[in-house]
Amino acid sequence: MRWFGFGFNAFGQICVHEKLVEGSDTVNEVKVINPTELSSHVDRSGCRQDIRASWSRRASLHLDGDGCVCLAGFGAVTSEECISVAESRGCKDAFISESYLTLVFPDRVESWDLDTKKKTPAWSMEIKTQPECSGTHLNLPLVPGGYIATKPPFYQSLSPHLKAKSLALGAEHAILLSATGAVYTWGLGSHGQLGHGGLISEEEPRAVEALWGMPMSCVATGGWHSVCISDGGDLYVWGWNESGQLGLPSQTLRKAQQQSGQQADASTSPREDPQEGEDDKEVFISIQAFPALVDITPPCEIKTVSCGSRHTAAVTTAGDLYTWGWGEYGQLGHQILSSDEPQRVEFFREQQMCVVDVVCGAWNTFAAVVKEEVANA
Amino acid sequence: MLWSKISAVLPPNEEQFPLQFSDKVESSVVDVLKRSRQQLYSGDAATASRMLNAQIILDISWEKLNTGTWRHVDKDWRRVYSYGCLFKVAALCREDPSEERILQAVRTCDMGLLMGAAVMDNILQVLVQILQGEVRKATKEEDETEHANIKRIKIECPRVPVIKEELAVPRIKCPSLESFNTNYLLPLKPVILEGIIDHWPALNEHPWSIEYLRSVAGCRTVPVEVGSRYTDEEWSQTLLTVNEFIDRYILNRFKISQDGVKSVGYLAQHQLFDQIPELKEDIRLPDYCCLGEGDEDDITINAWFGPGGTVSPLHQDPQQNFLAQVVGSKYIRLYSPEDTDKLYPHQSQLLHNTSQVEVENPDTVQFPEFAKAPYLECVLQPGDMLFIPVQHWHYIRSLELSFSVSFWWS
């Protein structure tokens, strides 16, 4: 399995250029628009490698045999640096946020402060594994009895009746998939990201009623949006659409693109374009408070999905990767920087590669590929 | 040269350029800030690279500013945002910038002033004054047809209500502090104070007009409310320069939307005078504010500038209010908080201070008690200052091009 990355690279988390190390970065090095292969520190061909990414870092999990984690990006001196073998050796799973790296071992969970580089974890907790009880393997941030937050206080308990199978954390909300295929959300709702139809916040997990009766197989969150995949491979989205991250028409995005030639952005370009009449007939969505079905043409079955802050990346069962949303740093992997319509990343087709997995950092995207013949074998 | 003027207000070197943040701001972000600082003082960094680093800082802090509720956003993230604006302005103005670039730099300063928090002794305010100076040098002469336009606007005054004498808000000319306190403030009775703002420069040396506002603030970016009233579904907020706002919503220079409905734009409830200190010098704090318990510094001064037809739905505020009318006139209706039970406030937390009733077109079936609620009304004219006691319900409709200044005090 090989991994390719594209998008935000200001800390060399996708690939390092010599110039970057010397301190004079150029646009091309910070914004990696064309998918670039990740070089593996530990050269063990054929071994399974998983990726986790935060805003400034990328973690590679080598899980065959004795697991270990390698970090690239902010703070990593060379192109790739294995964090001290003693610290990550033997881990079964890892989760990275901007300030902490959380590791799961057979008997314990630990969160390490990435900034201070101390010799002991900032927090740890014992876990008692009951090998016969868990039919489903728990994945971070889920741990027995609850989940690990991205900063202190780390441990948050979850009611066992939720039967948590997987969990994703956004900037101000959380989404949980239960073993029965039901979806629960909680946290702030001001951007519609809870999917209950309004903008109110929820303190406790609340079932997304619109999806009731349709079992879901996968959930993911961006900064302010939520996505899930049904058993049948349909993709549902809800939340903030200011950059088209829902794949629905976005007025803010269109207006920004209309500005002639100028590269506009949400952060300092508020100019209203006085062109009227053109988009009168189209309905724009800035907040989608109920789940909506994403239309991808040609129609396809979605296998897995991941989200960055303001973009979404989905892998189809046919091995294609589609991306949409905010793309100013190249995180969509094609020449059209930002888009409110799902677009296929042609690079992988052209290289005859079959995409099998996708993981997003805040402003970048990592895709796992196998050669087409291997996939079809 | 512009860059030397900007350079002169920045710290002399990298060592004296402060970048101090709490640990809420992650080291990775501070790393990019330091890169930008280094590029600010190095001669050989490329503009594209400077712009890129500034943009990274703006993009990451923008995300933080949009996380959680506004009042809980850590002040240090707003400071980071302001630093991002500073570095972007520096990158834009480094090499003999075009007028377009200078305007972009002004806009960037305004975004920092509106969304960020002051850094380096409010350096963005200092920079925007320098940049405005450059913009004014390049400004062409005024369009003479604008005078004709304004006269035309003044003539159209639809639906000017006739004020019934028994319902009129009382008027008093220059009362003493004591008499105002005794007769109006303590008993919380509305009154129109005449003669109080007669000496404002806004009505004398610098009479506020569209030309004057363009010259002082034309290129500045301000928040504008679009839509007939804030309780409407179609209502939204956007950011425009003062010039764009005037062209589009005051002079109606662009064609109206296809269904024939003219959209209303209102520069409302904005602390314009903090953003543009030159305008603050045209107004004065009413002396009567000293009768309150609060600090002078805590007084919120808002600008309300818009065409005829802007409507503020019936609502109440948690502070005392002096509403000074500078340009144009407004129809205002006041209801006592004692009659709140007849005013049908919204249930939601967001709008519980707003009535559901459309004052000048009430649904008597849905809101039967409303007609029984006693009220006072007036047409507020230039030179008038209305005292709206705390929690007193008020409804306001502009009758023509209007500019008011409100003072919220305690």
Side-chain angles (χ1 to χ4, degrees), chain A residues 45 48 55 62 64-65 127 134 180 202 205 226 244 252 337 346 350 356 364:
Chain A
S45 53
R48 202 187 121 222
W55 181 68
H62 302 276
D64 290 342
I127 44 177
S134 54
T180 61
E202 298 282 343
S226 307
T252 337
L337 285 183
E346 296 301 334
E350 287 159 8
V356 295
N364 45 32

Side-chain angles (χ1 to χ4, degrees), chain B residues 186-329:
Chain B
L186 289 175
L188 296 178
K189 286 194 174 318
V191 63
I192 294 175
L193 303 167
E194 295 173 338
I196 302 304
I197 68 171
D198 281 355
H199 299 294
W200 278 15
L203 291 166
N204 294 284
E205 305 94 81
H206 296 146
W208 284 1
S209 64
I210 288 186
E211 303 90 70
Y212 176 70
L213 290 169
R214 279 199 201 271
S215 72
V216 171
C219 62
R220 304 296 302 274
T221 297
V222 291
V224 171
E225 300 182 356
V226 179
S228 40
R229 61 200 76 211
Y230 68 77
T231 41
D232 268 9
E233 250 185 43
E234 294 303 310
W235 184 88
S236 69
Q237 291 175 297
T238 187
L239 292 161
L240 299 175
T241 63
V242 169
N243 281 332
E244 285 164 344
F245 171 66
I246 289 173
D247 286 337
R248 192 172 200 193
Y249 294 105
I250 308 268
L251 303 177
N252 303 305
R253 280 204 178 145
F254 301 101
K255 72 174 176 23
I256 56 184
S257 62
Q258 287 186 341
D259 54 4
V261 175
K262 203 167 56 175
S263 63
V264 175
Y266 194 9
L267 205 182
Q269 197 175 323
H270 176 53
Q271 295 178 265
L272 188 67
F273 309 100
D274 284 344
Q275 189 190 2
I276 305 176
E278 213 174 321
L279 283 176
K280 193 167 191 176
E281 291 172 21
D282 290 344
I283 63 175
R284 296 284 178 269
L285 198 65
D287 291 335
Y288 306 95
C289 292
C290 75
L291 295 169
E293 293 131 7
D295 249 340
E296 203 178 281
D297 297 328
D298 292 334
I299 297 177
T300 306
I301 308 175
N302 278 312
W304 306 79
F305 173 46
T310 62
V311 170
S312 293
L314 188 63
H315 70 285
Q316 53 178 185
D317 296 313
Q319 287 189 284
Q320 314 281 9
N321 185 356
F322 282 129
L323 181 63
Q325 193 63 17
V326 183
V327 175
S329 57

Side-chain angles (χ1 to χ4, degrees), chain A residues 8 10-11 25-27 30-31 55-56 74 98-99 115 171-172 188 191 224 240 242 262 265-274 276-277 280-281 309-310 326 329 363, chain B residues 26-29 31-32 35 48-49 52-53 55-56 58-60 62-63 66-69 81 85 88 100 107-108 111 221 238-240 244 248-249 254-258:
Chain A
F8 185 61
F11 298 95
D25 28 315
T26 69
V27 180
V30 172
K31 302 185 182 187
W55 181 68
S56 68
F74 180 60
E98 193 49 29
S99 306
D115 283 343
E172 42 185 35
L188 289 189
H191 294 97
W224 302 267
W240 209 9
E242 49 74 46
Q262 249 179 49
D265 54 83
S267 44
T268 64
S269 297
R271 286 263 304 269
E272 181 101 328
D273 199 320
E276 304 201 31
D280 274 357
K281 303 231 166 52
S309 282
R310 297 146 67 188
W326 192 52
Y329 288 90
W363 297 353
Chain B
E26 294 98 349
S27 318
S28 46
V29 177
D31 187 75
V32 185
R35 287 187 216 178
S49 180
L52 180 58
N53 281 325
Q55 198 54 52
I56 293 173
L58 288 168
D59 286 336
I60 189 67
W62 183 90
E63 291 193 352
N66 279 280
T67 300
T69 51
Y81 186 81
C85 293
K88 182 169 177 175
E100 172 71 42
R107 192 156 54 238
T108 305
M111 293 307 290
T221 297
T238 187
L239 292 161
L240 299 175
E244 285 164 344
R248 192 172 200 193
Y249 294 105
F254 301 101
K255 72 174 176 23
I256 56 184
S257 62
Q258 287 186 341

